[in-house]
Amino acid sequence: MNKIKPLVSILLSVHNCEKYLSTCLKSLTSQSYKNIEIVAIDDCSNDNSFKILKSFAKKYKRVRVYKNIKNYGTAVTLNRLIKKAKARLIAFMGSSDIAYTHRIKKQVKFILENPGVVAVGSQCKFINDKNRPLGKSKYPLHVHGISMQFETVLVNKALLPKDVLRFDTNSKPYLYSDVFIRLMNYGKLANLKEFLHYRRSNPNVYFSDLRKNIISLAKLWIKSVANSDYHFSVRSLLLPLVKH
């Protein structure tokens, strides 16, 4: 089992992130798991993001970078990244975040030891723009809802029919939850107990967004009932509480 080292495609959608992008890329190029490719698309940034991407691509052969001719948004950019990925194991990453050195190694090990798992995330520490801690996640290890941090997720695409792993431009603001609901039809979702990700975001925004988008939440629930074998509950959205 330890000799199996499948290729992992780490996908990075980038837009106006010059302040944090180098740190993010350094955390990916320094992964202890070496059989990776880092595929990034700059979504028509108007800062130095693409310049930074090109500098890393020049230095590291495992980095491939592209640029959209106009700003298409997150969903379209992620779909383009998925099409460019060479691997069956797909890891997502936030362009302002930091990955723990052994993140990919631990997730690949878990996927290989648990062939029925279609996606695995991890716990994360929330930080501000000055790297000061804001809190820690406590996502459930066995996911019965959609309590996962998208930027920590590794997906086993080998378990999925063609085009299931795609992002719907009409599913905002629950772009990622929509995908998780579809994935549940093809395998289990899980979170590792280790903190393998630094997320540059205030966790309190999560609950604020829930209140602002209650109608979209209701539509997502109706969609899950109609199109999925799994019916998520509102409670499942409230599970990713944070320890301050």
Side-chain angles (χ1 to χ4, degrees):
M1 181 68 72
N2 292 332
K3 295 181 179 180
I4 301 175
K5 294 184 178 180
L7 177 67
V8 176
S9 296
I10 305 175
L11 307 187
L12 196 62
S13 173
V14 178
H15 181 67
N16 291 344
C17 200
E18 64 177 5
K19 184 177 180 180
Y20 310 112
L21 186 55
S22 292
T23 301
C24 171
L25 290 167
K26 286 177 183 177
S27 76
L28 297 179
T29 56
S30 301
Q31 286 293 302
S32 59
Y33 188 88
K34 299 304 181 183
N35 194 18
I36 62 173
E37 64 166 5
I38 301 165
V39 189
I41 294 181
D42 179 78
D43 193 20
C44 202
S45 296
N46 51 30
D47 63 3
N48 290 316
S49 292
F50 188 57
K51 183 178 180 180
I52 294 170
L53 288 175
K54 288 194 297 182
S55 68
F56 272 81
K58 185 176 181 179
K59 185 176 181 180
Y60 300 96
K61 293 182 179 180
R62 294 177 293 173
V63 179
R64 291 190 285 125
V65 302
Y66 305 88
K67 184 178 178 69
N68 288 338
I69 60 174
K70 66 178 184 178
N71 181 239
Y72 288 107
T74 303
V76 171
T77 302
L78 286 171
N79 288 335
R80 291 186 170 192
L81 282 165
I82 290 168
K83 289 182 178 180
K84 292 182 180 298
K86 296 178 181 179
R88 304 297 288 175
L89 294 181
I90 305 292
F92 295 98
M93 180 67 183
S95 59
S96 62
D97 296 350
I98 304 170
Y100 177 63
T101 305
H102 302 302
R103 175 197 157 178
I104 300 299
K105 180 180 179 180
K106 288 179 177 290
Q107 289 184 309
V108 170
K109 182 176 184 294
F110 185 86
I111 285 287
L112 293 178
E113 292 177 350
N114 298 272
V117 172
V118 68
V120 58
S122 78
Q123 306 302 321
C124 60
K125 297 180 180 180
F126 297 93
I127 57 175
N128 64 14
D129 58 350
K130 297 181 180 179
N131 295 331
R132 293 174 181 169
L134 298 174
K136 297 180 180 180
S137 70
K138 50 178 180 179
Y139 301 125
L141 303 186
H142 304 287
V143 182
H144 301 292
I146 48 179
S147 302
M148 305 178 79
Q149 185 68 48
F150 170 75
E151 292 80 5
T152 73
V153 170
L154 175 72
V155 175
N156 184 2
K157 195 179 175 184
L159 297 181
L160 302 174
K162 185 179 180 180
D163 294 331
V164 167
L165 185 58
R166 59 177 175 77
F167 296 84
D168 186 351
T169 57
N170 297 317
S171 63
K172 287 184 178 181
Y174 296 106
L175 181 68
Y176 309 131
S177 300
D178 176 69
V179 171
F180 291 149
I181 288 172
R182 274 187 270 119
L183 294 185
M184 286 178 179
N185 289 320
Y186 303 98
K188 297 178 181 179
L189 304 185
N191 285 309
L192 299 182
K193 64 180 180 180
E194 294 97 337
F195 290 89
L196 304 180
H197 193 90
Y198 290 91
R199 175 70 179 150
R200 207 177 297 277
S201 174
N202 191 325
N204 293 328
V205 174
Y206 178 86
F207 298 101
S208 175
D209 287 344
L210 280 181
R211 291 192 296 269
K212 291 178 182 178
N213 299 290
I214 190 66
I215 294 177
S216 297
L217 176 61
K219 289 180 179 179
L220 181 63
W221 182 83
I222 293 171
K223 183 177 180 179
S224 76
V225 171
N227 300 329
S228 175
D229 292 336
Y230 176 84
H231 301 163
F232 84 91
S233 65
V234 174
R235 180 177 178 273
S236 72
L237 288 169
L238 301 177
L239 283 174
L241 302 177
V242 175
K243 298 177 180 178
H244 292 277

